[in-house]
């Protein structure tokens, strides 16, 4: 480590990047929307495994690019806390209540926002509820709703598998898991997408989600059922009203947005590779191997919010000040040349990717997401004979926000 790799020790303690932002790279805006991978690569060359960046509103953060550095942050909550109440820019009033960062980063009474015993108490309730939901049979729900989505376009010979299938299937399954009506689930798809996308409407859409989930919790208090909402309400951890609604929101947004994104990416990989497609249809290839490859190369959450430095420390050759915000570059970490010098080498059987996070906050619902994707792909391939991409693979595009890169469309044709 040398002086050139360290943040300027003379920079004001309240902002290690300087208050004006200078020439720092923005993780939002036109370039971030079209070439996030190029940004990560450039930042890695300029700053190493950790880079100073700006989030919406030009709020400073550290983007963790290195695989090992991501692991360190994820696995040591006593150094890198999930409690946003220690975030200096929030404490000192530089983040407005109306900022699109608030739905993604602000403290909430949920397990994601806490560490230690409070985290264990709340996560236990979430894990128990998800396990009970999985035990009741996720795949039959997926099969039902997959068939229903396919029925809407099966006799036309063509579809766009992003808006016609991938964007809705996970949410419809979640309506059964949470105890929502199907119509409410369809309304929530747009709001979840807007929260991840950011921009001016993110806060309003977050409030819409909270309103719908608050009404759901009230219904389930009056009429309990065999669903995740009732499981939270009746759990021995005795969650209060705010904790219940916050965890419903957490599961809804995290499960829907990541699973819909991952499903679209898996379908993209399958439909742009004839060998994979024929292997899946014939049963010679296991869909889990395809999912694993996507997890490594295009994880559904490219950048994960957020951790907050619990003390002054060093990470990746930079001085991180207490209260600094760190965001985790899962996509960049998975492609770190120090652990994958040749990204073309097969990763089959290697589950050490960062896509599900790591440490105490590792995703508790990953098996449910995997079941939705595997069943959703299987039903689609067997319902639509002759399924093929309707445009050249190189014409497929994606649009990124700070947190994710989503496939814009996936036009297909099939026999009727």
């Amino acid at each position: 480590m040398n002086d050139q790799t360290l943040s300027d020790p003379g920079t004001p303690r309240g902002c290690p990047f300087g208050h004006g932002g200078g020439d720092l790279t923005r993780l939002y805006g036109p370039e971030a929307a079209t070439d996030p991978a190029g940004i990560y690569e450039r930042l890695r060359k300029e700053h190493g495994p950790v880079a100073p960046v700006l989030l919406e509103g030009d709020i400073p953060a550290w983007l963790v690019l290195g695989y090992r550095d991501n692991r360190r942050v994820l696995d040591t909550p006593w150094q890198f806390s999930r409690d946003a109440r220690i975030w200096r820019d929030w404490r000192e009033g530089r983040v407005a209540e109306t900022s699109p960062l608030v739905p993604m980063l602000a403290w909430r009474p949920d397990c994601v926002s806490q560490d230690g015993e409070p985290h264990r108490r709340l996560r236990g309730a979430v894990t128990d509820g998800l396990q009970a939901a999985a035990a009741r049979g996720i795949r039959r729900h997926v099969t039902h709703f997959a068939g229903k989505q396919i029925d809407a376009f099966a006799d036309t010979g063509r579809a766009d598998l992003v808006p016609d299938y991938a964007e809705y299937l996970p949410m419809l399954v979640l309506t059964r898991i949470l105890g929502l009506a199907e119509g409410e689930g369809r309304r929530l798809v747009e709001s979840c997408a807007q929260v991840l996308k950011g921009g001016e409407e993110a806060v309003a859409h977050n409030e819409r989600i909270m309103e719908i989930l608050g009404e759901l919790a009230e219904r389930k208090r009056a009429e309990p059922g065999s669903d995740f909402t009732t499981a939270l309400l009746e759990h021995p951890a005795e969650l209060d009203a705010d904790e219940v609604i916050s965890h419903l929101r957490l599961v809804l947004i995290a499960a829907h947005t990541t699973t819909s994104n991952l499903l679209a990416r898996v379908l993209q990989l399958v439909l742009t590779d004839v060998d994979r497609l024929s292997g899946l249809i014939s049963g010679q290839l296991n869909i889990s191997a395809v999912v694993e490859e996507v997890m490594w190369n295009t994880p559904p959450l490219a950048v994960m919010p957020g951790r907050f430095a619990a003390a002054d420390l060093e990470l990746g050759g930079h001085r991180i000040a207490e209260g600094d915000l760190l965001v985790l570059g899962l996509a960049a970490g998975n492609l770190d040349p120090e652990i994958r010098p040749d990204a073309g080498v097969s990763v089959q059987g290697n589950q050490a990717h960062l896509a599900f996070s790591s440490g105490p906050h590792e995703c508790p619902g990953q098996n449910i997401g995997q079941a939705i994707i595997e069943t959703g792909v299987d039903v689609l391939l067997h319902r639509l004979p002759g399924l093929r991409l309707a445009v050249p693979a190189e014409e497929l595009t994606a649009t990124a926000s700070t947190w994710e890169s989503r496939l814009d469309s996936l036009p297909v044709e099939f026999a009727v």
Side-chain angles (χ1 to χ4, degrees):
M1 184 170 64
N2 56 57
D3 289 343
Q4 291 181 323
T5 65
L6 292 171
S7 299
D8 181 1
T11 302
R13 180 177 171 79
C15 178
F17 316 97
H19 287 280
D23 297 325
L24 291 183
T25 297
R26 289 175 170 84
L27 283 193
Y28 67 98
E31 184 187 0
T34 55
D35 188 24
I39 289 176
Y40 306 152
E41 185 177 352
R42 187 181 76 241
L43 288 171
R44 201 192 305 271
K45 288 177 180 176
E46 292 176 0
H47 299 281
V50 179
V53 295
L54 296 173
L55 306 183
E56 285 187 87
D58 280 356
I59 300 300
W62 296 101
L63 174 63
V64 186
L65 299 157
Y67 179 89
R68 294 182 181 89
D69 305 272
N70 270 289
R71 284 282 184 184
R72 177 184 164 191
V73 173
L74 291 166
D75 294 342
T76 54
W78 54 92
Q79 292 184 319
F80 302 96
S81 173
R82 281 298 285 119
D83 191 338
R85 292 172 295 189
I86 69 172
W87 181 14
R88 188 186 322 99
D89 286 297
W90 174 261
R91 285 202 326 260
E92 297 180 0
R94 285 186 285 276
V95 182
E97 294 279 358
T98 55
S99 166
L101 298 179
V102 168
M104 297 300 294
L105 288 164
W107 185 90
R108 297 177 187 281
D110 61 30
C111 60
V112 167
S113 295
Q114 305 184 59
D115 300 303
E117 185 53 40
H119 168 258
R120 284 188 288 274
R121 168 184 162 260
L122 295 171
R123 184 181 168 98
V126 172
T127 302
D128 290 346
L130 291 176
Q131 286 177 345
R136 286 189 287 270
I138 298 298
R139 293 179 188 269
R140 62 188 174 88
H141 297 323
V142 183
T143 301
H144 168 76
F145 286 116
K148 200 167 183 179
Q149 287 298 108
I150 294 168
D151 286 343
F153 57 75
D155 60 354
T156 67
R158 58 177 55 245
D160 184 340
L161 294 181
V162 172
D164 296 341
Y165 195 68
E167 283 187 359
Y168 281 93
L169 180 59
M171 181 62 80
L172 294 174
V173 175
L174 282 167
T175 62
R176 287 288 174 88
I177 293 173
L178 270 63
L180 282 161
E182 182 179 330
E184 289 175 313
R186 292 188 181 275
R187 288 172 57 207
L188 285 165
V189 167
E190 179 192 4
S191 290
C192 286
Q194 288 295 331
V195 168
L196 267 287
K197 185 178 180 181
E200 295 178 358
E201 298 184 15
V203 173
H205 279 279
N206 188 69
E207 290 173 354
R208 180 186 185 188
I209 291 169
M210 295 296 282
E211 181 182 351
I212 290 173
L213 295 178
E215 292 169 356
L216 169 65
E218 285 303 311
R219 287 201 304 271
K220 291 300 174 181
R221 279 192 183 89
E223 299 178 15
S226 55
D227 50 64
F228 179 73
T229 304
T230 301
L232 289 183
L233 290 167
E234 297 180 348
H235 196 273
E238 297 183 337
L239 278 64
D240 64 29
D242 288 341
E243 289 172 338
V244 169
I245 297 171
S246 288
H247 284 94
L248 292 174
R249 173 194 178 274
L250 171 65
V251 170
L252 184 85
I253 294 178
H256 167 67
T257 54
T258 57
T259 308
S260 63
N261 193 350
L262 185 57
L263 177 56
R265 292 294 190 173
V266 168
L267 288 169
Q268 177 189 14
L269 185 58
V270 169
L271 291 166
T272 52
D273 186 321
V274 175
D275 291 337
R276 282 194 181 89
L277 180 58
S278 59
L280 287 174
I281 293 172
S282 67
Q284 293 177 311
L285 178 63
N286 191 317
I287 184 62
S288 62
V290 181
V291 175
E292 203 168 75
E293 187 173 345
V294 175
M295 291 285 200
W296 274 102
N297 295 330
T298 50
L301 209 56
V303 175
M304 186 173 72
R307 298 294 191 273
F308 308 92
D312 294 348
L313 45 82
E314 185 273 339
L315 182 72
H318 296 269
R319 293 192 186 111
I320 312 296
E322 181 180 350
D324 279 0
L325 164 64
L326 301 97
V327 292
L328 301 163
L330 307 185
N334 278 349
L335 293 171
D336 184 346
E338 286 199 7
I339 65 151
R340 289 183 72 190
D342 183 354
V345 172
S346 173
V347 289
Q348 187 168 346
N350 185 341
Q351 298 181 357
H353 57 74
L354 298 168
F356 288 131
S357 181
S358 177
H361 291 278
E362 183 174 349
C363 173
Q366 52 192 271
N367 292 337
I368 291 176
Q370 194 104 356
I372 293 172
I373 291 161
E374 291 179 1
T375 308
V377 172
D378 186 60
V379 172
L380 189 77
L381 295 184
H382 289 91
R383 275 286 307 273
L384 303 177
L387 183 65
R388 61 191 177 276
L389 203 57
V391 297
E394 57 270 19
E395 291 186 12
L396 297 176
T397 60
T399 301
S401 66
T402 299
W403 314 110
E404 60 175 1
S405 177
R406 296 187 80 87
L407 197 61
D408 294 321
S409 65
L410 193 61
V412 295
E413 298 171 338
F414 46 88
V416 177

